Amino acid sequence: LMFGYLVADGFTSTLQEKIFRGYRLTHFNQMFYVNIFSSALAFGFVLLRGNHFMADFYLFVSKHPSCMYDIGLLIISQITAQNFIYLMIKNFGALLLATIMYSRQLLSIVFNTLWFKDPMTSMQWLSVAVVFIALFSKSLFVRRAFLTRFGKPRTRSSPTVRGRNASKADVEIPEFATKKSHKDS
């Protein structure tokens, strides 16, 4: 079960990044289609389990109507989280998302270990360290490959033209910036 989760988790964000780059979709498009498919899949599983599953849900909600507030809060949280996840993948790529998600999980593990005083074994700490060393080294490798291929990122104060510092003659000034405004005359 855990292996299946790890494979699907690693595959999902990479595939989403590939779809963003290949098909030029917005994050809302991807969220819509993924959620439609997930809803259809969940509805199919409910139908396979039989009608008692939905009857149990309605019975629980009728006995505990205050749970609808919590269900609504979970839905809003999920929608917000999906927005951030899809925007992160679209704008920064799957690797940064994986780094952030695993960092969040590490902080959660450390917090739970300290808060609930449930110590981790040395093998568990070693496993956590291996995952984060791998992610950190891959992040460095990707950054170095990017800088080697494209050079140092440009700043506004030092524009470049074909790998060298630009002179004033190289920098194109838009026409609207050269015209005097009515206030100047």
Side-chain angles (χ1 to χ4, degrees):
L1 188 62
M2 191 64 178
F3 179 75
Y5 163 75
L6 290 173
V7 168
D9 187 49
F11 176 72
T12 301
S13 60
T14 306
L15 180 62
Q16 288 169 338
E17 181 180 11
K18 185 176 180 178
I19 290 171
F20 273 129
R21 292 174 197 251
Y23 297 102
R24 308 262 187 238
L25 293 174
T26 68
H27 70 285
F28 293 118
N29 293 123
Q30 272 204 38
M31 281 175 52
F32 176 74
Y33 293 120
V34 166
N35 287 327
I36 289 292
F37 181 77
S38 298
S39 298
L41 196 62
F43 186 70
F45 284 132
V46 167
L47 290 178
L48 287 175
R49 283 197 69 187
N51 291 337
H52 67 85
F53 184 74
M54 289 304 290
D56 291 343
F57 172 74
Y58 289 126
L59 182 64
F60 179 83
V61 170
S62 65
K63 284 184 180 179
H64 309 284
S66 63
C67 76
M68 290 306 290
Y69 172 78
D70 295 326
I71 291 172
L73 193 61
L74 282 172
I75 290 169
I76 291 170
S77 299
Q78 180 63 28
I79 291 169
T80 305
Q82 270 190 345
N83 259 313
F84 285 117
I85 288 170
Y86 279 99
L87 285 171
M88 179 74 64
I89 292 170
K90 183 176 183 181
N91 294 325
F92 302 106
L95 179 61
L96 184 63
L97 175 72
T99 304
I100 290 171
M101 295 302 284
Y102 287 121
S103 299
R104 182 193 63 82
Q105 288 175 349
L106 174 67
L107 290 174
S108 178
I109 289 169
V110 170
F111 176 76
N112 286 333
T113 300
L114 296 175
W115 184 263
F116 296 111
K117 296 182 180 27
D118 187 19
M120 289 180 25
T121 66
S122 58
M123 188 58 96
Q124 289 170 324
W125 281 112
L126 178 65
S127 300
V128 168
V130 165
V131 168
F132 283 94
I133 289 170
L135 276 173
F136 183 73
S137 62
K138 186 169 181 180
S139 296
L140 285 177
F141 175 74
V142 168
R143 179 167 170 72
R144 283 190 185 140
F146 178 83
L147 291 176
T148 301
R149 184 169 178 194
F150 297 108
K152 186 177 178 182
R154 293 186 303 175
T155 61
R156 286 182 168 244
S157 60
S158 62
T160 59
V161 175
R162 293 186 193 98
R164 62 177 174 79
N165 284 341
S167 66
K168 287 184 180 181
D170 292 325
V171 178
E172 290 184 31
I173 300 173
E175 185 179 334
F176 70 87
T178 59
K179 292 184 177 180
K180 289 186 177 181
S181 66
H182 294 292
K183 291 179 183 178
D184 292 338
S185 34

